[in-house]
Amino acid sequence: AQKITQTQPGMFVQEKEAVTLDCTYDTSDPSYGLFWYKQPSSGEMIFLIYQGSYDQQNATEGRYSLNFQKARKSANLVISASQLGDSAMYFCAISIIQGAQKLVFGQGTRLTINP
Amino acid sequence: KAGVTQTPRYLIKTRGQQVTLSCSPISGHRSVSWYQQTPGQGLQFLFEYFSETQRNKGNFPGRFSGRQFSNSRSEMNVSTLELGDSALYLCASSRDDGYTFGSGTRLTVV
């Protein structure tokens, strides 16, 4: 079974600062993918970034980067130069690559960007 | 390209009724998975369909069911609704390693 732990229920950050959202995972499968999603108050889940377990380099997508530390089973999301529009819930999720397509989510972190 | 379409967006039902939610995946995506999101339990996996076959099911009672059609569109059904079924229901369309979500159906049971 897979498990995701997000230990920060809420975070408050000043606009333009960088922010790191923590995520640790647990799985016995060697082949897996890690995802980060943003969920604004409207409810839609917006894909941010993906890291495969065999990827050698940390993933980056614009202002988003993933600090992947495989030995520590950690996949922290880093948002550089935060903006007011970044205020939302952020979810870390894991999926096993082989077999049925299923995401296991963490409890999420509510990020608030202050002007 | 068109995204994942979920209908309806909002729904109010009475306890004991049944409800059917629809999800149209991205063209070419054959896997559709469903999730329930509540404030207390967070995001929980319901089931996943691939080529009209259920490949995986979460830990939900038999009142929750689903199906997938030959065009990959999927429906989920909840029978004998309970107050605790009030939630945001999200479906995700996937291919290879990517998951794209719809906007969700917000179900309120009164």
Side-chain angles (χ1 to χ4, degrees), chain B residues 36-68:
Chain B
Q36 181 198 63
Q37 185 177 24
T38 60
Q41 299 299 317
L43 280 150
Q44 293 185 287
F45 170 77
L46 280 157
F47 29 64
E48 186 250 354
Y49 287 86
F50 181 85
S51 293
E52 303 179 64
T53 300
Q54 186 183 88
R55 291 199 298 189
N56 203 350
K57 189 178 192 313
N59 189 23
F60 279 83
R63 300 185 298 107
F64 292 81
S65 63
R67 59 177 174 169
Q68 187 179 35

Side-chain angles (χ1 to χ4, degrees), chain A residues 33 35 37 39-47 50 52 89 91 94-107, chain B residues 9-10 31 33 35 37 39-45 48 55-56 88 90 92 94-103 106:
Chain A
F35 300 77
Y37 286 89
Q39 187 179 43
S41 56
S42 58
E44 61 185 312
M45 295 287 280
I46 302 168
F47 168 77
Y50 167 83
M89 281 291 291
F91 291 95
I94 188 171
S95 175
I96 303 306
I97 291 176
Q98 298 297 328
Q101 303 286 297
K102 164 190 171 182
L103 284 169
V104 174
F105 286 89
Q107 287 299 104
Chain B
R9 286 296 307 277
Y10 302 93
S31 171
S33 50
Y35 301 82
Q37 185 177 24
Q41 299 299 317
L43 280 150
Q44 293 185 287
F45 170 77
E48 186 250 354
R55 291 199 298 189
N56 203 350
L88 178 66
L90 291 158
S94 61
R95 177 177 172 174
D96 299 328
D97 298 334
Y99 294 78
T100 304
F101 283 84
S103 298
R106 195 169 294 276

Side-chain angles (χ1 to χ4, degrees), chain A residues 34 36 47-51 55 58-67 77-80 86:
Chain A
L34 294 157
W36 277 93
F47 168 77
L48 296 178
I49 197 166
Y50 167 83
Q51 179 86 42
D55 292 344
N58 287 342
T60 60
E61 290 281 353
R63 294 188 298 114
Y64 305 106
S65 60
L66 201 152
N67 184 1
L77 176 70
V78 180
I79 306 174
S80 63
D86 294 334

Side-chain angles (χ1 to χ4, degrees), chain A residues 6-14 19-22 36-45 77 79 83-92 106-114, chain B residues 37-40 42-43 88 106:
Chain A
Q6 294 180 253
T7 57
Q8 306 153 310
M11 286 194 69
F12 295 84
V13 174
Q14 287 298 120
V19 58
T20 297
L21 305 182
D22 295 341
W36 277 93
Y37 286 89
K38 171 184 177 182
Q39 187 179 43
S41 56
S42 58
E44 61 185 312
M45 295 287 280
L77 176 70
I79 306 174
Q83 303 170 355
L84 296 179
D86 294 334
S87 294
M89 281 291 291
Y90 287 81
F91 291 95
C92 180
Q107 287 299 104
T109 296
R110 181 172 296 282
L111 176 63
T112 302
I113 308 298
N114 296 316
Chain B
Q37 185 177 24
T38 60
L43 280 150
L88 178 66
R106 195 169 294 276

